Amino acid sequence: WWSVNRMAWKPAATAFWEVATPSYRRLAVSWVLTAKQEATRDRRMGQLVEASAAGQLIPPQRYGAVPAWLARAAAAASAAGA
């Protein structure tokens, strides 16, 4: 699957993704796949990989209270990227 391959390029993104909650993963995948144009899907996938590697949420989710699991996921991404 194309997103798994792109995540594999960055171990920090993979580590973040593995710790992320199933609901966040579903939301993020939906955000990428619901784009109408392939160019937009590619751009969103790049944003997802970069945000995950940086220990951050995807842009549409960066509001309100920070989820409790985010600190664990960011720590995993940091450890994998080091």
Side-chain angles (χ1 to χ4, degrees):
W1 195 51
W2 59 273
S3 67
V4 173
N5 291 336
R6 294 216 24 205
M7 282 284 184
W9 293 346
K10 293 205 175 213
T14 302
F16 180 93
W17 191 251
E18 290 173 354
V19 177
T21 61
S23 61
Y24 174 76
R25 285 185 279 179
R26 278 191 304 274
L27 184 133
V29 168
S30 175
W31 176 66
V32 171
L33 295 179
T34 56
K36 292 181 182 180
Q37 296 183 359
E38 185 174 348
T40 305
R41 287 189 296 273
D42 288 343
R43 186 179 71 246
R44 287 182 181 182
M45 187 62 206
Q47 289 176 315
L48 173 59
V49 171
E50 292 303 318
S52 297
Q56 299 175 347
L57 298 173
I58 56 174
Q61 292 298 303
R62 294 181 193 161
Y63 64 90
V66 176
W69 63 265
L70 186 58
R72 292 190 309 273
S78 179

